[in-house]
């Protein structure tokens, strides 16, 4: 937002190209109006909220009267920075169920710092419960965040989230408004336990479900597991999508230091929330807006951190979308380029052994980032320090088994590889560190499923004759085809192969995969089959070669035959005829460009309510 209340962008999309071979490009920051400082103490009349509360007109009179109606004294709010606390708490979201209490700690910090906190309930995206997939609604929460911050008297924002899509959604919306902002991560839940083993949410659910399907455990064990998998509020405590995205947020510099790994029920989480409340008021006074933090360098660092964490493949889509809202062109090729420069240092499930509480006490993200200083941009600011370098000063790692030293990495390269080939001309991804190494160079015959339901119905039928060498292909699961690109990408292994001890196979889809999942799963194939991408043309019996070292995914079918199949292909019927779903189908972009809505991703001015 510029000083006249209008966020401006100076360049069109064509000027934001990145080849992935060099530095990530960024639009110039929005201009500020004369008289508005970029840093240093804002006077009360320079606050954005002054337009609502502090002028002589009827509107300000009305707003002050209504604030008194809320029970506030004038000295409690007049002239103070108004801090919106966007809370994704809900009874249906076990990952955020503690955030109603935690908002009180944020408010405490805001009051103590001389601000005026106002809590706003916003949509919750509850990964487990929301169907067909919360990914369908990420952009809706981003839109809600943006319009809520713009339409109310807000000087700064505290965003409370953590369950998978809530982190990117809140930050995408906030980036489009560009106010001073602090993100408060929901924090991981405590480790699960069962018969002397620690359980990781998601990861061990998939593992023991396969054990049950293989007949190795029964209903009694499953009932015990149901009690032990998720034993406290908080998001998944593996390095799944939630932990990956909150770690990315901390790396971007939009949380207070160390925030992302504090267990949700630790009293340190209350202190972190209060510290965030204290900090946001200071950021408003300094007029330190998100655009100063969310730079090309910051996104490059977030990508490096995600890859070195062995983080979720979902981060690829979300970081590309978040960067787009910040005027930064981040591409799949940037991920692959950076992956070749960073090793995996976090020994965390699903790729490693430990859980987020172990990571927290081993040093958390400050300790972790202190082992990557040679690849980070240390001179950029964060919400709490003038430079990342100062933030990391004195950071320590207390357990080299959880956060490895560079000379003893978990994997020599970052945790995600980007594939190209005639089956995925616009790219696909694989989390190769979570796959059986023997499958990373594999050729086999395809078994094709047109949609998830028909796959579920038939996968265990021995008549299909699937062997461990087959390549399972699922289509109709992309951004439009899913719809919403559900996390179907870890296709189930046929029961009779599980009984033979098979635990991994090459699987290919245009779906996403839970960050807690694992296996040789090629994901995010673009363009998706629903829009006629090559995945729509594969037939059972075609030969496919996956070669991760060569970054290649190849369908061994001649081009002329593919052309014939393309001509015979008919587009599927529309998924929605009306409502939000219809808007989604019209606006959603493909996986390689972040699945944002075109009308939200495009550059351009949006007037503030009081502009002009
Ligand atoms: Fe919320 Fe995993 S279900 S983070």
């Amino acid at each position: 937002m510029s000083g006249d209340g209008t966020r401006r962008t100076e360049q069109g999309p064509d000027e934001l190209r990145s080849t992935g071979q060099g530095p990530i490009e960024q639009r110039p920051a929005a201009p500020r109006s004369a008289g508005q400082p970029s840093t240093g103490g804002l006077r009360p009349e320079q606050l954005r909220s002054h337009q609502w509360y502090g002028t002589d007109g009827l509107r300000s009179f009305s707003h002050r009267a209504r604030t008194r109606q809320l029970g506030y004294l004038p000295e409690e709010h007049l002239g103070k920075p108004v801090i919106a606390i966007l809370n994704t708490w809900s009874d249906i979201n076990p990952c955020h169920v503690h955030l109603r209490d935690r908002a009180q700690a944020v408010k405490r910090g805001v009051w103590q710092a001389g601000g005026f906190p106002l809590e706003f309930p916003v949509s919750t995206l509850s990964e487990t419960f929301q169907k067909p997939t919360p990914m369908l609604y990420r952009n809706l929460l981003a839109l809600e965040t943006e319009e809520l911050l713009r339409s109310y008297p807000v000087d700064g924002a505290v965003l409370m989230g953590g369950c998978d899509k809530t982190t990117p959604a809140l930050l995408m919306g906030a980036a489009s408004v560009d106010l001073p902002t602090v993100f408060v991560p929901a924090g991981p839940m405590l480790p699960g336990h069962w018969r002397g083993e620690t359980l990781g949410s998601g990861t061990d659910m998939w593992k023991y479900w396969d054990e049950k399907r293989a007949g190795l455990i029964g209903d009694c064990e499953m009932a015990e597991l149901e009690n032990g998998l998720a034993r406290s509020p908080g998001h998944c405590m593996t390095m799944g999508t939630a932990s990956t995205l909150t770690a990315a947020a901390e790396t971007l510099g939009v949380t207070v230091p160390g925030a992302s790994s504090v267990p949700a029920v630790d009293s340190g989480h209350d202190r972190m929330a209060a510290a965030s409340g204290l900090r946001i008021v200071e950021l408003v006074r300094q007029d330190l807006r998100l655009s100063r933090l969310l730079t090309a360098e910051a996104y490059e660092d977030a990508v490096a951190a995600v890859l070195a964490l062995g983080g979720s493949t979902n981060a690829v889509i979300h970081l590309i979308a978040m960067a787009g809202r910040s005027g930064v062109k981040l591409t799949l090729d940037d991920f692959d380029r950076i992956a070749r420069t960073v090793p995996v240092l976090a020994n965390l499930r699903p790729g490693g052994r430990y859980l987020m509480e172990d990571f927290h006490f081993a040093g958390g993200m400050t300790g972790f980032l202190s082992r990557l200083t040679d690849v980070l941009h240390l001179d950029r600011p964060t919400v709490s320090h003038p430079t990342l370098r100062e933030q990391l000063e004195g950071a320590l790692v207390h357990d080299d088994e959880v956060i490895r030293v560079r000379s003893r990495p978990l994997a020599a390269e970052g945790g995600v590889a980007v594939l190209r080939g005639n089956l995925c001309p616009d790219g696909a991804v694989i989390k190769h560190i979570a796959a059986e190494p023997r499958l990373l160079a594999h050729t086999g015959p395809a078994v094709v499923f047109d949609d998830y339901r028909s796959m579920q119905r038939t996968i265990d039928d021995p008549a299909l004759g699937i062997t461990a060498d087959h390549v399972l292909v699922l289509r109709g699961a992309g951004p439009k085809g899913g719809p919403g690109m559900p996390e179907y990408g870890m296709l189930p292994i046929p029961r009779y192969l599980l009984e033979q001890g098979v635990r991994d196979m090459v699987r290919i889809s245009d779906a996403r995969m839970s960050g807690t999942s694992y296996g040789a799963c090629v994901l995010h194939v673009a363009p998706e089959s629903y829009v006629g991408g090559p995945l729509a043309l594969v037939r059972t019996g075609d030969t496919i070669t996956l070669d991760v070292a060569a970054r290649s995914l190849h369908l061994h079918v001649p081009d002329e035959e593919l052309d014939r199949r393309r001509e015979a292909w008919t587009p599927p019927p529309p998924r929605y005829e009306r409502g939000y779903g219809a808007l989604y189908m019209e606006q959603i972009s493909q996986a390689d460009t972040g699945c944002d809505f075109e009308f939200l991703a495009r550059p351009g001015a949006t007037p503030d309510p009081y502009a002009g």
Side-chain angles (χ1 to χ4, degrees):
M1 205 114 57
S2 64
D4 64 1
T6 305
R7 186 162 193 253
R8 295 195 187 95
T9 47
E10 301 289 296
Q11 294 178 295
D14 286 345
E15 293 162 275
L16 291 171
R17 294 231 166 84
S18 165
T19 61
Q21 302 301 313
I24 298 165
E25 293 176 32
Q26 181 170 15
R27 288 185 208 115
R32 293 173 193 285
S33 68
Q36 183 167 14
S38 59
T39 57
L42 278 186
R43 296 188 302 277
E45 61 273 22
Q46 291 177 301
L47 292 171
R48 181 172 179 267
S49 59
H50 179 77
Q51 297 169 102
W52 273 261
Y53 288 115
T55 63
D56 288 336
L58 173 61
R59 280 185 174 184
S60 278
F61 170 79
S62 162
H63 296 150
R64 291 193 299 268
R66 291 295 182 170
T67 306
R68 289 178 189 231
Q69 182 186 8
L70 288 166
Y72 293 105
L73 298 165
E75 54 268 36
E76 284 183 297
H77 69 91
L78 279 184
K80 293 183 174 178
V82 177
I83 307 301
I85 302 168
L86 269 58
N87 196 345
T88 51
W89 169 87
S90 167
D91 274 334
I92 194 68
N93 195 336
C95 309
H96 294 183
V97 75
H98 56 302
L99 292 186
R100 186 155 61 170
D101 287 342
R102 214 58 86 241
Q104 305 313 311
V106 178
K107 287 180 188 173
R108 208 170 72 222
V110 172
W111 284 122
Q112 284 174 348
F116 178 41
L118 293 170
E119 187 177 351
F120 292 75
V122 291
S123 309
T124 205
L125 308 179
S126 182
E127 190 63 33
T128 319
F129 290 102
Q130 197 169 24
K131 307 298 179 206
T133 162
M135 186 62 182
L136 195 73
Y137 300 101
R138 183 199 67 181
N139 297 345
L140 188 62
L141 175 55
L143 180 59
E144 181 186 13
T145 299
E146 176 179 347
E147 294 306 324
L148 190 147
L149 291 176
R150 181 175 290 116
S151 58
Y152 283 109
V154 175
D155 298 306
V158 174
L159 313 173
M160 304 185 75
C163 184
D164 287 24
K165 283 82 186 167
T166 50
T167 302
L170 291 166
L171 284 169
M172 286 163 69
S176 294
V177 186
D178 195 22
L179 293 172
T181 302
V182 174
F183 184 76
V184 172
M189 68 177 94
L190 296 178
H193 287 279
W194 179 63
R195 296 189 181 184
E197 289 181 43
T198 56
L199 299 176
S201 43
T203 304
D204 284 299
M205 180 180 74
W206 317 122
K207 175 180 151 186
Y208 286 108
W209 189 250
D210 275 353
E211 301 286 290
K212 174 184 154 63
R213 292 179 66 228
L216 298 175
I217 59 175
D219 290 343
C220 177
E221 287 86 352
M222 290 306 289
E224 290 175 16
L225 284 161
E226 207 169 294
N227 278 323
L229 262 172
R231 64 181 255 259
S232 84
H235 63 67
C236 292
M237 72 323 224
T238 45
M239 186 43 72
T241 304
S243 301
T244 304
L245 266 295
T246 56
E250 184 169 339
T251 309
L252 287 166
V254 298
T255 73
V256 297
S260 62
S261 60
V262 185
V265 294
D266 193 300
S267 50
H269 200 269
D270 256 314
R271 295 194 297 274
M272 178 273 290
S276 303
L278 282 166
R279 193 64 208 144
I280 185 61
V281 178
E282 193 53 35
L283 291 182
V284 171
R285 292 191 174 123
Q286 294 174 354
D287 196 24
L288 186 69
R289 299 171 186 234
L290 265 185
S291 57
R292 290 275 310 285
L293 307 176
L294 298 182
T295 59
E297 290 77 20
Y299 280 106
E300 186 149 334
D301 290 352
V303 171
V306 163
L307 293 166
L309 285 164
S312 166
T313 46
N314 285 321
V316 178
I317 293 175
H318 296 317
L319 282 172
I320 288 173
M322 289 159 65
R325 296 296 189 95
S326 307
V328 173
K329 182 76 176 177
L330 184 65
T331 69
L332 285 180
D333 291 333
D334 292 316
F335 279 82
D336 204 63
R337 170 177 58 85
I338 296 168
R340 294 171 194 265
T341 67
V342 292
V344 177
L345 298 181
N347 188 3
L348 298 170
R349 291 182 220 182
R353 177 175 170 194
Y354 295 97
L355 297 173
M356 285 305 294
E357 190 174 22
D358 305 307
F359 182 75
H360 181 64
F361 291 113
M365 280 305 286
T366 49
F368 180 78
L369 293 176
S370 75
R371 296 210 157 152
L372 291 171
T373 50
D374 57 317
V375 298
L376 299 176
H377 298 84
L378 296 171
D379 294 323
R380 62 185 176 85
T382 72
V383 291
S384 48
H385 289 83
T387 65
L388 180 61
R389 185 190 313 280
E390 287 162 83
Q391 180 160 318
L392 298 182
E393 255 170 35
L396 293 173
V397 173
H398 308 293
D399 189 335
D400 289 342
E401 190 49 33
V402 179
I403 301 176
R404 295 283 183 86
V405 292
R406 294 289 284 268
S407 58
R408 202 170 70 88
L410 211 71
E413 283 192 354
V416 176
V418 175
L419 307 171
R420 302 274 179 184
N422 67 346
L423 198 46
C424 54
D426 292 339
V429 301
I430 182 170
K431 188 173 183 174
H432 52 306
I433 60 159
E436 289 187 11
R438 66 183 174 85
L439 294 171
L440 300 181
H442 179 84
T443 297
V447 181
V448 181
F449 300 94
D450 282 327
D451 59 78
Y452 189 71
R453 303 277 170 254
S454 66
M455 182 209 63
Q456 276 187 314
R457 275 196 307 274
T458 56
I459 188 80
D460 289 332
D461 184 353
L464 290 183
I466 300 173
T467 70
D469 287 334
H470 274 89
V471 174
L472 302 180
V473 174
L474 174 68
R475 56 188 170 215
K480 291 188 176 189
M485 217 181 166
E487 294 184 335
Y488 295 158
M490 190 173 78
L491 277 64
I493 291 169
R495 184 194 304 267
Y496 54 90
L497 292 181
L498 287 172
E499 288 166 356
Q500 294 166 23
V502 177
R503 289 293 182 273
D504 200 1
M505 293 175 68
V506 174
R507 291 159 267 184
I508 299 171
S509 72
D510 44 15
R512 294 175 302 113
M513 174 174 90
S514 165
T516 61
S517 298
Y518 49 86
C521 304
V522 176
L523 310 159
H524 310 180
V525 167
E528 63 171 309
S529 59
Y530 183 91
V531 300
L535 200 64
L537 311 178
V538 186
R539 291 181 182 167
T540 292
D542 289 347
T543 303
I544 295 175
T545 294
L546 166 67
D547 186 343
V548 174
R551 301 296 197 258
S552 154
L553 183 68
H554 188 76
L555 175 66
H556 296 271
V557 174
D559 289 346
E560 311 76 59
E561 170 60 16
L562 286 178
D563 288 342
R564 274 194 290 279
R565 293 183 189 180
R566 194 171 287 112
E567 269 169 36
W569 180 79
T570 49
R575 289 276 185 266
Y576 296 94
E577 291 182 349
R578 62 163 302 282
Y580 173 73
L583 172 73
Y584 174 92
M585 294 298 281
E586 201 178 276
Q587 290 288 324
I588 194 75
S589 75
Q590 290 290 293
D592 59 305
T593 53
C595 297
D596 203 353
F597 287 167
E598 193 281 327
F599 77 96
L600 294 174
R602 78 169 74 122
T606 307
D608 225 21
Y610 278 99

